[in-house]
Amino acid sequence: MRETFSAVQGAFPGAVPLIDFVDGQTRWLANQGFLPETSLAVLASCRDELAAGLRAEVRRQWDFAFDFASLSGLPLAGATGARAVRDHAPERAGRVQIVIWALPHVGVLDDGTVGQVMRRGRHHPTTACGSLHAAATWAADSRGDPLAGEQPIDPRDPEQSLVRRRLLSAYPGFDTFSPKELVERVVDLMLADLWDLIDTLTNPHNVDAAIVSGVLVHGSAGDFVAPRLVRLRRIGKTIELSASAATSDGDSTIPQGVSG
């Protein structure tokens, strides 16, 4: 465990164990009025089986959770998925509350290699996130093709086609990013796209929403989270906060600092 934690911390300083991250954010959200019994949790992560720990931990604390998963974690369920979230969330005194957990993932080997992970029953490391790795490989192979981003959706690979298009649109040179930089850029893109859906499809006067973002990091001895941002809108007021690492006394990740 110590070797794994050192490798993860080396690649993602400030990363904390997954359970600490979810515990800490849940407590902080409760202090802001977002309670599991009155909110609908939404899981925006990769479909990968490695993300099962994240899904289980959020559902342990938040009961029911709407699955917004896709290859890579990008919110490909789009407006239809967002409308479903809005319409499924419990109502309390005429208001609904939504808490989105937005965490794409990456693997870290004990030697510090980012973008690789040892999966159960496998004898050699494999890529994580595989979808992001495949998209970057495609972009490198397509470099110089002005029509790369306009290619029709592959009916045998529709979701990955959308991943490629969205990344190329946001970051034309994303194939040059390291696995660490790419997954961190994907967090930013997920936050932007998810907030756009919230802003467009929900009324701030009767829908409160929060997005908790970070990078889900898989080490050989467990899962960790490198905290990113928390954006929250409650009773029409929006704030954005940075999520800090767990404190030395064992307290969990608590968002700090207001910037909006």
Side-chain angles (χ1 to χ4, degrees), residues 55-101:
R55 291 189 283 268
E57 190 57 35
V58 170
R59 285 177 174 138
R60 181 180 70 84
Q61 299 212 35
W62 290 80
D63 299 320
F64 300 103
F66 190 102
D67 198 340
F68 225 79
S70 69
L71 292 177
S72 80
L74 289 169
L76 302 181
T80 298
R83 290 190 189 98
V85 167
R86 178 196 64 195
D87 296 342
H88 297 182
E91 293 181 300
R92 183 184 187 189
R95 301 189 67 79
V96 301
Q97 294 185 321
I98 299 163
V99 175
I100 303 174
W101 300 81

Side-chain angles (χ1 to χ4, degrees), residues 2-260:
R2 183 183 300 275
E3 186 177 22
T4 295
F5 187 65
S6 296
V8 170
Q9 281 274 331
F12 294 92
V16 295
L18 170 62
I19 188 170
D20 289 349
F21 179 80
V22 177
D23 281 350
Q25 301 297 342
T26 297
R27 289 200 302 271
W28 185 84
L29 286 165
N31 290 334
Q32 310 308 309
F34 288 83
L35 302 172
E37 58 267 28
T38 59
S39 305
L40 178 64
V42 179
L43 282 159
S45 62
C46 186
R47 295 184 182 278
D48 199 311
E49 78 280 355
L50 292 174
L54 169 65
R55 291 189 283 268
E57 190 57 35
V58 170
R59 285 177 174 138
R60 181 180 70 84
Q61 299 212 35
W62 290 80
D63 299 320
F64 300 103
F66 190 102
D67 198 340
F68 225 79
S70 69
L71 292 177
S72 80
L74 289 169
L76 302 181
T80 298
R83 290 190 189 98
V85 167
R86 178 196 64 195
D87 296 342
H88 297 182
E91 293 181 300
R92 183 184 187 189
R95 301 189 67 79
V96 301
Q97 294 185 321
I98 299 163
V99 175
I100 303 174
W101 300 81
L103 293 98
H105 73 139
V106 70
V108 175
L109 299 179
D110 283 348
D111 66 3
T113 301
V114 179
Q116 298 279 313
V117 67
M118 286 300 302
R119 297 174 188 270
R120 179 174 60 90
R122 303 288 297 189
H123 301 296
H124 302 285
T126 55
T127 57
C129 174
S131 172
L132 294 181
H133 175 78
T137 300
W138 166 85
D141 292 342
S142 302
R143 181 169 287 282
D145 180 358
L147 300 178
E150 304 301 322
Q151 293 178 359
I153 300 299
D154 183 348
R156 294 198 302 173
D157 203 9
E159 201 166 85
Q160 184 66 7
S161 297
L162 293 172
V163 171
R164 294 193 294 255
R165 281 192 178 190
R166 186 67 189 100
L167 289 174
L168 194 61
S169 173
Y171 309 119
F174 77 91
D175 58 296
T176 65
F177 297 163
S178 68
K180 178 180 186 292
E181 183 179 5
L182 180 54
V183 74
E184 289 176 336
R185 294 289 191 97
V186 169
V187 178
D188 297 338
L189 191 54
M190 289 174 66
L191 182 61
D193 286 356
L194 286 163
W195 197 259
D196 178 66
L197 290 170
I198 289 170
D199 202 37
T200 303
L201 299 173
T202 66
N203 186 332
H205 297 295
N206 56 29
V207 178
D208 297 331
I211 300 178
V212 178
S213 69
V215 177
L216 176 63
V217 185
H218 310 294
S220 63
D223 290 338
F224 302 81
V225 174
R228 296 286 284 183
L229 293 175
V230 177
R231 188 175 295 167
L232 180 152
R233 186 187 75 196
R234 187 162 187 266
I235 316 178
K237 180 181 179 181
T238 300
I239 60 174
E240 186 173 279
L241 313 99
S242 61
S244 69
T247 58
S248 59
D249 62 1
D251 195 9
S252 299
T253 312
I254 304 295
Q256 296 178 342
V258 176
S259 62

